[in-house]
Amino acid sequence: MRGTYRDDEGDLKSFLMSDGIGVGWGARSSADGTDAVYFVAQENYPVEFLEIGYPVRLRAYGILKDSCGAGQYRGGCGIVREYDVLAEEAVLALRIDSIKNPPWGIAGGMAGGAGRAVVNPGTNHERVLGPLSDGNVLRKGDVLRIETGGGGGHGHPFDRPTEKVLEDVLGGFVSADAARRLYGVAIAEGVVDPAGTAKLRARRPATGAFHRHAYVDSLA
């Protein structure tokens, strides 16, 4: 993001902000994927660092719920960053991968969630930005929300232990609705409903070797 802002004296100044954002890694055959991984040459900049150094204010920064691919071992979750734009005007360049084709789930696991970038989400002025784009104009008062993708899952989601699913729900990684739909685990008032879960898991859905949008048994 680059542009202009007014300093404490009211003078117009230029700025250039580079912010790399973490993603979720894929599950392994014996363990969950890692959440919110930052790569080489990226930095997990604290909120205070960005707010002191640049004309933005962080409205939200945390794990992106339900971005992890479901599985016996779930994929890692991506993150969400939401910025108030305090600059007079700014131009944004974006580089977000795996939007149309999110990471594969394998051995019955499901694909990871895709990322996105949206300006003024939930308003009449909402606009979704191209994942590989430049020249996106932002103005003072705009809200920029960036969501990053998660990793693919490994193994049938119904084979994930119910206590692990509950832990993910209570920790904010998986919603109660996703626990029910994807993992066949009924959760009510912060605890697993054994009878409801048994009923859901009795209707075990068929899976395939690979998953991206749908299950397939071959990539040929």
Side-chain angles (χ1 to χ4, degrees):
M1 185 188 300
R2 71 267 189 196
T4 58
Y5 71 100
R6 294 197 180 275
D7 64 14
D8 293 339
E9 285 70 44
D11 295 326
L12 202 61
K13 299 290 183 68
S14 299
F15 77 96
L16 172 63
M17 184 182 85
S18 178
D19 193 13
I21 305 179
V23 298
W25 272 8
R28 293 150 285 179
S29 61
S30 59
D32 293 344
T34 307
D35 304 300
V37 177
Y38 280 76
F39 295 94
V40 176
Q42 290 186 351
E43 296 287 346
N44 178 14
Y45 291 134
V47 169
E48 295 82 0
F49 177 90
L50 285 175
E51 292 185 343
I52 289 172
Y54 303 101
V56 296
R57 180 170 51 238
L58 270 291
R59 298 164 59 99
Y61 178 35
I63 290 292
L64 182 61
K65 187 181 292 186
D66 290 338
S67 57
C68 48
Q72 179 181 6
Y73 299 102
R74 68 165 176 82
C77 282
I79 66 171
V80 56
R81 263 203 199 281
E82 197 166 277
Y83 312 76
D84 277 329
V85 178
L86 306 181
E88 296 300 314
E89 185 171 271
V91 178
L92 178 70
L94 281 171
R95 296 293 182 269
I96 307 176
D97 293 331
S98 302
I99 303 300
K100 293 182 179 179
N101 295 303
W104 289 98
I106 62 172
M110 302 185 76
R116 69 172 189 150
V118 59
V119 179
N120 299 320
T123 73
N124 293 333
H125 305 291
E126 177 177 307
R127 56 191 170 105
V128 177
L129 304 181
L132 301 174
S133 63
D134 199 350
N136 301 293
V137 176
L138 305 175
R139 292 185 170 84
K140 192 170 186 176
D142 282 342
V143 175
L144 170 65
R145 181 180 176 90
I146 297 181
E147 302 172 356
T148 66
H154 188 288
H156 198 302
F158 276 35
D159 290 332
R160 188 165 179 81
T162 57
E163 63 271 17
K164 285 285 190 182
V165 178
L166 177 62
E167 183 180 297
D168 285 337
V169 170
L170 297 180
F173 297 89
V174 174
S175 66
D177 176 66
R180 184 180 187 88
R181 287 186 297 102
L182 304 180
Y183 293 91
V185 177
I187 297 174
E189 298 182 354
V191 296
V192 174
D193 172 7
T197 297
K199 190 173 182 179
L200 289 170
R201 288 196 161 182
R203 300 192 294 268
R204 183 184 178 95
T207 61
F210 305 97
H211 180 272
R212 176 190 276 169
H213 306 302
Y215 281 110
V216 295
D217 286 318
S218 173
L219 299 182

